[in-house]
Amino acid sequence: MPGEDPSPRARVVTLDGLSGSGKSTLARRLAAALGWTFVDSGAWYRALTFAVLEAEEDPRNADSVLSVLSQLDLAGQADGTVCLDGRALGAELRTARIDAAVSDVADHPSVRQALNQRLRSLRNSAQHPGLVADGRDAGSVIYPEASLKVFVDVSLEERARRRHQQALAIGQERAFADVLAGLRERDQRESERGAAAPRAHQGDRVLDNEKPSVEEAIRRLLDWVKSLGTQSP
Ligand code: C5P
């Protein structure tokens, strides 16, 4: 947005994709490999949702959510952890309650705009040479000037298979069909968010993450970053 980011210092790489595409794992690993900061934009939406629920406000009411956000001290650590009033949030952001409410919070265009401003300002922190940000609209809306924009592409069936395996690994018995239906519904809802809808845009590099190991995918990403040289923004 003109005027909002007058002197950006850090370089930005964005990884966008649908739920379960593996983008957060890749973004975290890529940031660590580069010595850059990882910005987990989904965790910021989750932290806001956490605060809204703590305040017993309605996540479906944009004004209530904005009012909670305006009073929040939110900050990010280099490993992507989000801190609320100086307290690092981890497992409390990954509960079924947050899962159920976060889409309501993220559906409000006014809330997205306000949160995006906070995420954009991270670029001006002097503490890191670059940011790797993951999300749905990190490249298209949050950091449109990013040097490298990647869309992480994985089929619905493979994303559901991975989510199902992850649930089983932590002892949550869930039917595969339910996981698949949940992801399909979330995809549909997010596809209705206009400019913020997760999809590959013109100029994006598309990373097919259906089969490669994390190591192979990271190698590919590092090659793309290296090919930028040092002159790009
Ligand atoms: O990536 P994660 O599943 O943690 O994101 C939580 C939720 O935050 C998503 O379901 C989505 O609704 C929202 N989100 C978003 N835009 C982003 C990142 C996340 O709307 N850039």
Side-chain angles (χ1 to χ4, degrees), residues 26-50:
L26 295 177
R28 180 178 289 108
R29 294 271 298 262
L30 180 65
L34 292 167
W36 291 10
T37 290
F38 168 41
V39 177
D40 178 354
S41 64
W44 285 67
Y45 279 96
R46 287 174 182 273
L48 173 57
T49 306
F50 176 81

Side-chain angles (χ1 to χ4, degrees), residues 64-226:
S64 304
V65 175
L66 279 174
S67 160
V68 171
L69 177 58
S70 69
Q71 293 163 47
L72 284 189
D73 171 11
L74 281 174
Q77 295 182 343
D79 66 356
T81 303
V82 178
C83 297
L84 178 62
D85 297 326
R87 168 182 163 209
L89 297 176
E92 46 285 73
L93 298 185
R94 310 280 154 192
T95 63
R97 199 160 168 247
I98 302 279
D99 281 348
V102 66
S103 294
D104 287 332
V105 166
D107 273 347
H108 304 300
S110 55
V111 170
R112 303 190 69 84
Q113 212 177 1
L115 201 57
N116 287 346
Q117 259 178 28
R118 297 220 188 180
L119 292 166
R120 236 173 255 138
S121 70
L122 299 175
R123 220 190 143 180
N124 293 327
S125 159
Q127 292 169 16
H128 41 240
L131 302 180
V132 180
D134 88 315
R136 311 298 194 276
D137 57 348
S140 53
V141 179
I142 310 177
Y143 303 108
E145 70 295 340
S147 323
L148 172 66
K149 302 180 190 184
V150 178
F151 187 79
V152 182
D153 198 22
V154 182
S155 69
L156 172 64
E157 288 69 23
E158 176 60 16
R159 289 184 286 121
R161 193 190 65 73
R162 291 179 193 171
R163 277 282 150 98
H164 185 235
Q165 291 294 324
Q166 285 162 1
L168 292 182
I170 56 168
Q172 291 177 355
E173 282 292 331
R174 293 178 66 193
F176 176 78
D178 290 346
V179 177
L180 186 76
L183 277 179
R184 184 179 280 123
E185 192 188 319
R186 187 170 279 209
D187 288 359
Q188 177 59 33
R189 185 168 180 165
E190 293 184 1
S191 74
E192 289 162 8
R193 286 193 187 140
R199 62 183 178 82
H201 294 262
Q202 202 179 1
D204 286 1
R205 298 266 199 163
V206 177
L207 179 77
D208 179 349
N209 200 28
E210 187 91 8
K211 294 231 166 62
S213 65
V214 173
E215 285 67 30
E216 283 167 333
I218 291 292
R219 269 200 298 278
R220 167 85 53 92
L221 289 166
L222 282 170
D223 282 347
W224 286 346
V225 174
K226 278 184 202 136

